Every structure is written in C-alpha cells, then in structure tokens.
Amino acid sequence: MTPFPRPDYAGVRRYDPGRAPVRLDLSDNTNLWGTHPAALERIRRATTDDLARYPELYADRLREAVAERFDVPPECVTTGAGSDDVLDSVFRASFAPGARVSYAAPTFSMVEPFAHMNGMEAHAVAWPEAEADPSALFEGDPDLVYVCRPNNPTGGFPARAWIDGLLSERGEDGPLVVVDEAYADFAGETLLPDAPSIPKLLVTRTASKAYGLAGLRCGYAVASAEVALEADKSRGPYKVSGLAAEAAALAVRDEDGWMAGVVEETLRNRARFTDELTTRGHPPLPSRANFVLLPAPSGAARQDTLALREVGVGVRPFSGVPGMGDGLRITVGPWPLMEGFLSAFDEVFATAAHETAAREAARGKASRETAR
Ligand code: PMP
C-alpha cells in the first residue's frame, strides 16, 4: 500500500507568499484600475440558473470568444480555473515516472510546485544561459519546457527569433513547450495565433491581469487540437464556473475597449515610474509587463519588503536573481498609487541611507577616538 501522503509530497507546501493586507498592495500584478465593466455587469445580472445549474462542461462560450478574437479553431482552445489550472493540467498530462520539467529561471514561482505536485522533477536553467543558447533548456531530455514571456518577475521579453530558435532546437520528437503569456496584453506581441499550427506548443493566458478578473479564477490556452484535448482530459469537466467563463468571454471580445485603455496607461505609468526610480539612483530592469523588478536598495529583499510593509506598502521580494542579486517586484497601477509608493520609498530608504551614514560617521568618530 502507498503511504499517505505519497512520499514525494513530503516537500510540497501550501502556497504562502507572506502577504498580510496592507494599505497599498503592489505585490501581485493584478489590475489596479479595477475590473472589466462588461464582466462586472454580467455578474450583477446573475440569475438562479447561473448558480443552481452546472455550467458548460468545457466552457465552450469562452472557447468560442477566444477562437474569434485570435482567429483560431475553437477545438484548439482549452480553459481552466485560472491559468494555474491550465498549467497544472498540462503538467499532469505530461507526467510519466521520472518525467522532468525544464524552465528558464527565475520565473513564475508556481512552476516548481506544479512539477512536484505532479510527480515531476524540476530543472532550472538560469535565464542568461538559456537566452544565450536555448538548447540549454533541452539538457537532460526534459518532457516539458516552460518559458514565461514576458517573464515574471524580471519583465524580460525573449525575442520571437529566440522562441523560433527554441522550437527548432527541439526537433520533431522534442518535448511539449509551454509559453506562459499571463502578461502578454502589456507586451503587445503574442505567439497565440500561431500555436495551433506549431506541434506541441501551448500558449497560456489569464483573465487575472489585464482583464481585472483575478477573483473569478479563469484562464485559457491555445495549442494544436491534440494538445488542447489532452489538457481538457487532464483537467476534467466543470472546472470553470459559468459566470467566470461568461464574464471572461466578454472581456476577451472587448479587445479595443476598456482593457486597451488600461494597457496604454500602464505603459505610460511604467515609463514614468522607471524614470522616477532612476532619478533616485535605483533603476529597475526594463520591463514589458505591468510590473518592474528593482534591485533591493539595501541588497536584502526580505528586509526591504518588511521595511516597506511597516509603512503600509506591499511588494514582492526575490532573492538570487542572476546578474542582480535581491530584487523587489512592484506592480504598476494608477499614478496616485505609484506616487504613494515613491513617497514610502523615500521615507524608508532615505531614513535607511541616513541611518547608515550616521552609523558610518559614528564608527569613524569611534575609530578616530581609539587612534588618539
Ligand atoms: N503565470 C504567471 C506568469 C503569473 O504571474 C500568474 C499569476 N501570478 C499566473 C500564471 C497564474 O495566474 P492565474 O492562475 O490567476 O490565471
């Protein structure tokens, strides 16, 4: 008999980003302008049937909306309760004893747990190494390769030529490649319409970011019909609630409406915020997403995150980012919120700089006195 829990679950933990409520939460890259108005209106018009009856088995109305918007066949679309669920399903569909997921790191923090939850081994390749040579991601003969574009948490955006190189390196019998496009609405460039015609490529999207629907838990992906079917089978029926699917479908269809305005303002504010931080001597990495990664001002991300929390501001710490060390990831939102961050930043880090200078001055004075 297999013990409970299964032995390889010993290292699996509940997700705990250490996120207590704060006055100004810039830690999770959600839409800080709010939610899609048509989606909200649909939820407000909910009927008894919407709640009392089961939804569509495989969220067909959402699949049709995605198919129309991106001009792909509906059978090439799969859905899930968040893109987390899509990723988990496709990892599960790729599992075989000893299977391996290879990914360019640092990246979305759930990739490693999803691999472990599905009995797979996770193999990280540092982004600079993968970027210089995509074949590094195929070392060790992985069964699935994961790439995030734009990448969370760096905001980096591998060029299309790099993706094409990755796909051609893989060869005919290579592993499934998953490209996570959770933030692609902000990058203005996508692989999604090409996915049906590229064998074993799955491109995931979420309703949680640009659409402002994180609370609904809805995501989707596009691939060849064969891959989309395997993801559907692995995920199972009735996973996307009817209201979530319908609300997300309205947002998907509204390509040039509310969301386009949010994206435009995000890009404007990201540039302005980057300038403000650069002026303060703390330039963040260039980003194609709705967040920026800033080298931790003290060099220690956890300490800086706690210091910002003390003044009511939430950011996400990262340690050991190649070429950077520790970093703080900050979501870009409406300008008054960014101003709120900047004044907290000035308060915390000007004080920290002041204290360091005072400590150094005191140390200097003490050593002068000892020398006397
Ligand atoms: N991929 C990336 C890169 C993310 O940052 C996130 C959310 N933080 C997700 C996927 C999952 O999003 P959701 O499950 O809300 O669709």
Side-chain angles (χ1 to χ4, degrees):
M1 202 174 66
T2 310
F4 180 85
R6 48 189 253 200
D8 61 333
Y9 263 39
V12 177
R13 301 264 174 277
R14 272 165 68 133
Y15 181 59
D16 177 15
R19 209 185 279 145
V22 274
R23 170 178 60 82
L24 176 56
D25 189 350
L26 304 178
S27 71
D28 64 7
N29 303 336
T30 48
N31 191 323
L32 299 174
W33 278 269
T35 190
H36 196 288
L40 182 59
E41 186 48 34
R42 175 64 188 88
I43 304 288
R44 286 204 168 116
R45 283 191 292 102
T47 64
T48 300
D49 274 359
D50 284 325
L51 275 73
R53 308 204 51 134
Y54 279 106
E56 292 172 324
L57 288 161
Y58 293 98
D60 283 344
R61 264 174 273 189
L62 173 58
R63 295 171 77 202
E64 271 152 33
V66 173
E68 273 172 40
R69 173 173 168 186
F70 294 104
D71 198 16
V72 295
E75 61 274 19
C76 292
V77 183
T78 183
T79 57
S83 55
D84 273 351
D85 193 27
V86 179
L87 290 168
D88 182 34
S89 305
V90 81
F91 277 33
R92 189 156 49 248
S94 304
F95 167 70
R100 184 172 159 107
V101 177
S102 182
Y103 62 99
T107 196
F108 179 36
S109 59
M110 288 305 293
V111 171
E112 203 183 339
F114 281 147
H116 293 155
M117 280 157 62
N118 288 298
M120 304 173 90
E121 202 186 296
H123 175 65
V125 177
W127 255 114
E129 201 190 312
E131 199 138 28
D133 178 10
S135 67
L137 286 163
F138 298 116
E139 272 162 29
D141 203 13
D143 302 81
L144 190 149
V145 169
Y146 170 93
V147 169
C148 190
R149 183 181 190 251
N151 187 40
N152 175 9
T154 59
F157 194 74
R160 177 63 198 248
W162 183 86
I163 296 279
D164 291 341
L166 177 81
L167 295 170
S168 70
E169 279 291 330
R170 169 180 71 160
E172 292 233 322
D173 300 323
L176 178 73
V177 172
V178 174
V179 177
D180 184 335
E181 289 198 348
Y183 301 97
D185 296 300
F186 303 101
E189 204 190 311
T190 176
L191 288 173
L192 204 131
D194 298 335
S197 57
I198 302 177
K200 295 214 269 177
L201 170 69
L202 179 103
V203 179
T204 62
R205 287 289 186 99
T206 179
S208 302
K209 310 297 176 184
Y211 302 175
L213 300 174
L216 285 184
R217 309 305 302 124
C218 192
Y220 58 91
V222 173
S224 66
E226 295 76 21
V227 170
L229 175 65
E230 293 310 322
D232 271 4
K233 278 161 51 182
S234 163
R235 190 200 61 238
Y238 300 131
K239 283 289 174 70
V240 183
S241 82
L243 282 173
E246 285 199 33
L250 289 166
V252 167
R253 289 184 192 280
D254 183 31
E255 198 175 348
D256 304 318
W258 181 81
M259 195 184 84
V262 164
V263 169
E264 204 182 300
E265 215 172 322
T266 303
L267 303 195
R268 219 176 18 247
N269 290 356
R270 189 180 68 201
R272 196 171 163 194
F273 186 55
T274 299
D275 286 350
E276 290 283 350
L277 289 168
T278 305
T279 307
R280 287 164 170 79
H282 293 279
L285 294 184
S287 168
R288 293 283 294 269
N290 67 336
F291 55 82
V292 293
L293 188 70
L294 173 75
S298 77
R302 294 221 166 263
Q303 181 185 315
D304 290 350
T305 303
L306 288 176
L308 285 166
R309 276 201 162 263
E310 300 249 305
V311 294
V313 176
V315 299
R316 183 79 191 265
F318 288 87
S319 56
V321 180
M324 174 191 268
D326 278 15
L328 307 180
R329 194 193 65 196
I330 306 151
T331 308
V332 174
W335 191 248
L337 302 190
M338 305 327 287
E339 278 181 324
F341 173 87
L342 289 167
S343 58
F345 182 90
D346 289 343
E347 188 186 333
V348 169
F349 298 110
T351 312
H354 178 76
E355 279 169 1
T356 310
R359 259 199 313 275
E360 272 164 16
R363 221 179 287 135
K365 186 169 171 239
S367 65
R368 276 194 306 279
E369 276 166 4
T370 323
R372 243 188 260 145

